[in-house]
Amino acid sequence: MSAQKAPRSIVVTAVLAVLVTAGALVTAVLLRPDEPDRALPGAGGVPTTAGAASECGPSACQVLGSQPVKGTTAELLADPEGGQAHLRFGGLGSDFVLESALAPMEVAVGQNSLQCVDGALAACLVHGDYQGGVIAELFVAPGDTWRQSDRLYFSDAGRVLLTQVVGDAAPEVVVVRHECASAAPAAPGCPRGPVLAEVFELSGKQAGCTKRYSVPSQLRGWPNVRLTEADLRPCPVS
């Protein structure tokens, strides 16, 4: 009998090991927001139901901010504490509401947490404070329908924004960070080290970085950073 049971025990042990490893990988993704090129599980562009449009968790949604974009209105919704963020397109009564990936991370948003840029390829950014910095989620409308990016963008220097950098019809995501952030975010002296602005296309592809600056305020236009394609160069290798 023991000879027959041994293979089953080995199989059960192997399955448990796989499940534990998978859980650890998901946890690692959520705990390393300093790596914006990592895909996030569960991100998508499926709107919530009409009933969910008025509820942010157990509380009724409140409109914290709104911006006109792509011929309609984007509204940032949240509970009274700024949690459970959603983005509604179309204004009051619309049932096209996307739950932000920041909601399950308990990131609080505020009146200034929504930024939209109109154009042939429109985009909106929702951001909030997270682990001593700022984390942001991107929403894009490549056609008539809005969808969420599968990435989050983290700035340990407190600034993520949408702005036109390269010469095309779409804005870019600009992330201001300390140079050592991606390689060793907990390294002594990292928060006081040089900063740079890292630029991403809406697809998530890295477009380049600026030179190093001693402090963020040296970036042109800070905090509304203004860059041109001429400011970009290859990013430092982590």
Side-chain angles (χ1 to χ4, degrees), residues 21-132:
T21 301
L25 288 174
V26 171
T27 302
V29 169
L30 295 178
L31 293 180
R32 292 298 304 275
D34 50 285
E35 298 182 7
D37 57 342
R38 287 178 178 263
L40 292 175
V46 180
T48 63
T49 63
S54 62
E55 298 179 359
C56 291
S59 304
C61 288
Q62 298 181 356
V63 179
L64 295 186
S66 65
Q67 293 202 2
V69 63
K70 211 171 178 64
T72 185
T73 301
E75 294 180 317
L76 177 60
L77 311 177
D79 65 23
E81 286 72 43
Q84 302 297 322
H86 291 65
L87 203 56
R88 178 169 64 195
F89 296 95
L92 184 63
S94 171
D95 62 356
F96 193 85
V97 182
L98 297 175
E99 180 181 11
S100 171
L102 305 184
M105 299 173 65
E106 299 182 354
V107 175
V109 296
Q111 294 180 348
N112 298 318
S113 292
L114 174 64
Q115 181 198 5
C116 295
V117 174
D118 212 343
L121 183 54
C124 289
L125 201 66
V126 175
H127 60 84
D129 295 341
Y130 185 71
Q131 293 189 358

